[in-house]
Amino acid sequence: MQTQLDILNRAINEWIPDERPVSQAPQAKELAAKLDLALADEGGSQEELEAAIKAYLHYNPDVAQPDFFKLLYSGQNKTAVLGDWITSLSNATMHTYQVGPVATLMEMELIRQWNKLVGFDEGEGVMVAGGSQANLIAMMLARHHACPDIKTEGLKGRTLVAYTSDQAHYSAEKAANVLGIGSNNLVAVASDEDGRMLPEALDAEIEKSLAASHIPFFIGLTAGTTVVGAYDPVEACAEVAKKHNVWLHIDGAWGGPILFSEQHRHNVAGSQLADSFTWDAHKLMNVPITAAVILVKHKGALKATCSGGGGEYLFHEDENAAYNLGERSIQCGRRADALKVWLSWKEMGNQGFAAKIDKLQQIRKQCVEMVEGRDNLQMLAPAVYLNVLFRYEPQHIQGEEAIRQLNIRICKTMMAEGNAYVDYARFKGRTGIRLILANGEVSHDDLQRLLDNVQRIGRELDQPAD
Ligand SMILES: Cc1ncc(COP(=O)(O)O)c(C=O)c1O
């Protein structure tokens, strides 16, 4: 291991310099031409391995910098990184207690704590490979709740219908595909102008399905939508779910951690009324990818839905049988993601995460005030959580397409200059710059610099050609 440790040491201390552009990757074809990535029959040298690691680190965006605003994670949770390394060192797997004893107990404690935050008093859960998989399992649980025989008999001509808002993450569509529901049977329920699902539209869509003799089985709300961070109204939608006896899921992959904050948790009031809840620890909690969980209100639902096989050689009915998490999962080998989450939670406590959220909410407020106070900048949606969607829009430019192109070019220019890394996104037909505030280290000055750059680049790109 000494050689590997030396390389790790150099990687941290020499190959990731403190001062470097947030992004410096050329286009894919150009990069492919620069690197020698070919694998061969004959093994390579130590130098070749080191060169590859160096290049890997050099060209990857520096997501730890406060200037990385592109995705729903940013910064570095060093304790969780350590946990990730130890996880690889142990190579535990999570199907049975025997091969991941401490990890199993840690995962069970995490699930207790997560359920407490959501309000599932008797809940259960299992860690999964990301929010998309959590949403898939949620839909599978709902399918099992509505028609348990599908597990063994298949759909048999039945049409099951799922409902998410038109702002929901695309993982719902993938889940409908994987589960044989058919993506045309996933209804995009209308949202209001702030991006929240309209409960009356949800009710109307369910009535429409019933009139067609279809089976409504899954309502997927979002707590913190991907583009604007909107929170669907849980209590009103829970009434609709109850009326029609439909499974209610909340996708809190991004916005779930707001539950840590006494000050802001009201955004997801009524979370305890749901049947299941998705939570990503690799987004706002900043644990290395992947770390996520599906939480379920009803004990036993996961095993009833996901189990199948393995009894003869793996899941022995011994004294630790109740601790074998594998029957709750659709995976066999499963990485022990619990350790990195547990270590960082232990270090920060609930209060540490609450403080991070409260601080970022404060920064978000300042950011919105700055946008609103500057020439030619405009907010495209209210910023409730940590997404700020805004754009550069000088009065003389008319037409959505022209403004859209200008803002896309602003994002690309900013990236090419090695300044802040932001991305563009569309909301209700208008394209803007999506700024994600996920890094607890981000400061007022970072945002000021970013907005200065947006205005400067916008002005430069907007010069009439000679
Ligand atoms: C609201 C929401 N749900 C689910 C996901 C998918 O999560 P993951 O990337 O962990 O699969 C995302 C990802 O951005 C998201 O924003």
Side-chain angles (χ1 to χ4, degrees), residues 94 104 106-116 120 122-128 134 137 141 275-279 292-303 306 322-330 334:
M94 299 302 292
T104 298
M106 284 177 165
E107 179 165 331
M108 291 172 88
E109 172 60 9
L110 286 170
I111 286 164
R112 257 191 301 278
Q113 295 299 331
W114 269 315
N115 274 321
K116 215 154 103 182
F120 293 167
E122 303 291 326
E124 63 171 8
V126 69
M127 292 189 73
V128 291
I137 306 296
L141 286 158
D275 295 292
S276 54
F277 197 101
T278 288
W279 184 306
V293 69
I294 176 71
L295 302 167
V296 190
K297 185 191 244 168
H298 320 284
K299 259 207 172 95
L302 279 166
K303 183 171 173 183
C306 299
Y323 294 81
N324 294 338
L325 301 182
E327 286 184 293
R328 302 181 189 181
S329 172
I330 57 167
R334 183 164 64 89

Side-chain angles (χ1 to χ4, degrees), residues 15-190:
W15 302 343
I16 313 179
D18 284 343
E19 296 296 325
R20 63 171 182 154
V22 64
S23 165
Q24 50 197 333
Q27 298 304 323
K29 281 191 180 145
E30 209 183 310
L31 181 58
K34 275 178 191 278
L35 306 176
D36 179 11
L37 299 180
L39 298 172
D41 289 340
E42 229 173 83
S45 66
Q46 188 62 30
E47 289 71 35
E48 285 174 294
L49 303 190
E50 287 190 20
I53 294 170
K54 251 190 206 172
Y56 179 101
L57 290 169
H58 179 79
Y59 290 114
N60 212 63
D62 189 356
V63 302
Q65 281 194 31
D67 278 343
F68 184 78
F69 295 102
K70 178 182 160 65
L71 295 176
L72 306 180
Y73 64 91
S74 171
Q76 195 171 62
N77 176 340
K78 291 190 171 61
T79 301
V81 170
L82 174 67
D84 212 42
W85 291 338
I86 303 288
T87 302
S88 292
L89 194 63
S90 70
N91 208 17
T93 186
M94 299 302 292
H95 45 47
T96 49
Y97 169 82
Q98 287 166 331
V99 280
V102 179
T104 298
L105 297 176
M106 284 177 165
E107 179 165 331
M108 291 172 88
E109 172 60 9
L110 286 170
I111 286 164
R112 257 191 301 278
Q113 295 299 331
W114 269 315
N115 274 321
K116 215 154 103 182
L117 288 166
V118 172
F120 293 167
D121 295 338
E122 303 291 326
E124 63 171 8
V126 69
M127 292 189 73
V128 291
S132 299
Q133 195 188 108
N135 289 340
L136 168 75
I137 306 296
M139 200 180 276
M140 195 170 161
L141 286 158
R143 192 186 68 172
H144 193 76
H145 171 73
C147 306
D149 65 310
I150 288 179
K151 184 174 179 181
T152 48
E153 304 301 317
L155 280 167
K156 281 182 144 176
R158 287 167 286 191
T159 300
L160 272 66
V161 186
Y163 311 83
T164 55
S165 92
D166 56 15
Q167 300 299 313
H169 187 256
Y170 66 88
S171 50
E173 191 174 327
K174 294 207 177 230
N177 174 7
V178 173
L179 295 173
I181 302 301
S183 53
N184 287 347
N185 295 314
L186 172 68
V187 175
V189 178

Side-chain angles (χ1 to χ4, degrees), residues 331-375:
Q331 292 173 249
C332 177
R334 183 164 64 89
R335 193 172 151 80
D337 293 325
L339 175 64
K340 57 191 173 184
V341 186
W342 189 94
L343 286 175
S344 51
W345 201 324
K346 182 71 179 172
E347 180 182 54
M348 291 181 67
N350 293 25
Q351 287 174 357
F353 288 115
K356 176 177 177 180
I357 287 158
D358 292 347
K359 180 185 165 194
L360 284 171
Q361 286 280 18
Q362 199 55 33
I363 292 271
R364 182 263 302 161
K365 214 165 137 238
Q366 292 170 1
C367 182
V368 172
E369 283 166 9
M370 281 191 266
V371 169
E372 288 175 340
R374 285 177 178 236
D375 286 346

